Amino acid sequence: MQRTSVRPRSKTFKWKKVVVLPFLSVLFVTQLYPLVWLVLYSFKTNEEILDGSFFSLPRELRWQNYKDAYEGGHYLQYLFNSLLVTSVTVALVIVLSSMVAYAITRFRWRYGTLVMTVFLIGIMIPLQATLLPLMIIFKNIGILNTHLALILPYITFSTPIAVFVLSGFMKSIPYEIEESAIMDGASVYRTFRSIIMPVSVPPIMTVCILTFISIWNEYILAATFISSEKLKTLPFGVNSFIGQYSVNYGAIGALLVLGALPVIIIYFALSERITKGMVAGAVKG
C-alpha cells in the first residue's frame, strides 16, 4: 500500500499566523487609534492642542471640556433631536425595505428585476445632487425647517441599500415554508409578519446599525434644511464652540466623544447580530 506524504498542519498554521497576524494588528491599530486620539484630544487645553504634538498625553485631565460640551453645546437638546430623527427613520426604513424585498424576491411577477434595478440605481445617486431640488420642493410644500424635511430624504437614501441587503437574504428562504403556511390558511400579510420577518432578524439588525450610523453622523442635509436651534441635530453642537476670533478645540473634542458614545454602545451591544446579518446577506444570497 503506497503512502502519500501529508504536509504537517502545524507548519501551515504557523505560516498563516506569520502572514495574517501582522496585517490584523496593523488594521486594529489604524482603526482604534483615531478613537484613542480623540479621547486624549478631548482632555487637552487649546495650548496643548495647538503646539503640534499630536501623540502627547494631556498634562492633566481637563474635565471642564466635557462640562462646556454638555452645557454650551446644547447636548441634551441636540441629542433628543438626533434620537427622534434617527429612530423614526430606522423604523420606517425597516418596514418599507422589508416589504419591498419580500415583494421582489418572493413574488413571481414580471417587473421584479426592473424594480430591483431601480433601487440599485438609487444607491449611485449622490446626496449633494439633490440638495437644491429638495430645498425647492420642501419650501413649496411647507415642511422646510422641520424634522420631516430630514426624515424623508434619510428614508429615501437609506432604503436602497436596505433592500439590497434584505433581498439577498430572503432569496435563500425555502419556498416550502410559505407554501405550508398558505395551505394552513395564512394570508400574504400573515406569512410576511409571522414567518419572513422573524427569520430575517439578522439582516434586519445589520440594516438597523448601518442606517443608524449613516443618519447619526449626517451633517449636510441637516445644515441645509434646518435653521431653528430647537430642531438641530447633534453634529451642530460643534458650531457652538467656533467663534469669530477663537475656537474651543477641547470642548469640540469632548462633544465628538459624547456624540460617538451612542453609536459605540449600540455597535458593541449588537456586534454579534450584525456579523451574522452581514454573513447571511452575503453568503446565502
Side-chain angles (χ1 to χ4, degrees):
M1 189 174 180
Q2 188 176 4
R3 293 183 178 180
T4 57
S5 59
V6 179
R7 193 175 183 178
R9 293 184 59 185
S10 58
K11 292 184 178 180
T12 305
F13 181 72
K14 288 181 179 180
W15 277 108
K16 287 182 179 180
K17 288 179 63 177
V18 170
V19 175
V20 174
L21 287 181
F23 174 76
L24 292 179
S25 301
V26 172
L27 186 63
F28 175 77
V29 171
T30 55
Q31 294 297 317
L32 185 63
Y33 171 72
L35 182 60
V36 175
W37 178 85
L38 180 61
V39 173
L40 297 176
Y41 181 97
S42 66
F43 285 108
K44 294 182 178 181
T45 62
N46 277 4
E47 291 75 16
E48 292 178 279
I49 294 172
L50 295 176
D51 68 0
S53 56
F54 297 102
F55 300 96
S56 63
L57 297 175
R59 298 186 184 97
E60 61 175 312
L61 299 181
R62 182 177 168 82
W63 293 100
Q64 182 65 32
N65 291 337
Y66 282 87
K67 183 179 179 181
D68 294 340
Y70 182 82
E71 297 176 354
H74 307 285
Y75 179 73
L76 289 181
Q77 180 180 342
Y78 291 166
L79 177 65
F80 173 78
N81 293 333
S82 293
L83 289 174
L84 175 63
V85 171
T86 304
S87 59
V88 172
T89 302
V90 170
L92 292 177
V93 166
I94 291 299
V95 173
L96 295 175
S97 61
S98 59
M99 290 192 295
V100 171
Y102 179 65
I104 291 175
T105 58
R106 312 305 291 181
F107 293 171
R108 295 179 177 89
W109 54 307
R110 182 183 302 176
Y111 301 105
T113 304
L114 177 62
V115 173
M116 186 63 186
T117 303
V118 171
F119 277 96
L120 293 179
I121 293 174
I123 300 176
M124 297 182 288
I125 298 176
L127 182 146
Q128 293 81 1
T130 65
L131 292 178
L132 182 58
L134 288 177
M135 171 72 78
I136 297 174
I137 293 173
F138 291 162
K139 184 177 181 180
N140 291 336
I141 64 179
I143 65 171
L144 194 63
N145 197 28
T146 65
H147 283 153
L148 188 60
L150 295 180
I151 293 173
L152 292 179
Y154 288 164
I155 293 174
T156 303
F157 283 101
S158 301
T159 300
I161 186 65
V163 171
F164 177 76
V165 173
L166 292 175
S167 62
F169 177 82
M170 289 185 182
K171 287 179 182 178
S172 66
I173 301 176
Y175 283 95
E176 290 77 11
I177 298 177
E178 292 174 85
E179 292 174 355
S180 60
I182 294 174
M183 292 179 62
D184 291 337
S187 63
V188 174
Y189 300 102
R190 179 66 181 276
T191 303
F192 172 73
R193 184 177 66 253
S194 302
I195 297 178
I196 301 299
M197 289 298 286
V199 173
S200 305
V201 168
I204 287 176
M205 298 306 298
T206 301
V207 171
C208 282
I209 191 64
L210 292 177
T211 306
F212 182 90
I213 292 175
S214 63
I215 295 173
W216 189 264
N217 298 321
E218 201 281 322
Y219 182 84
I220 297 177
L221 291 179
T224 304
F225 300 144
I226 300 295
S227 59
S228 174
E229 289 291 334
K230 295 182 179 180
L231 300 177
K232 289 181 178 180
T233 52
L234 199 56
F236 277 97
V238 175
N239 296 333
S240 303
F241 305 103
I242 301 176
Q244 184 176 0
Y245 301 106
S246 63
V247 179
N248 191 342
Y249 295 104
I252 291 176
L255 186 65
L256 293 175
V257 172
L258 293 175
L261 279 179
V263 178
I264 295 173
I265 292 172
I266 290 177
Y267 179 81
F268 280 106
L270 304 177
S271 59
E272 185 177 352
R273 290 178 177 267
I274 295 167
T275 304
K276 290 181 179 179
M278 293 298 289
V279 173
V283 178
K284 291 186 178 181

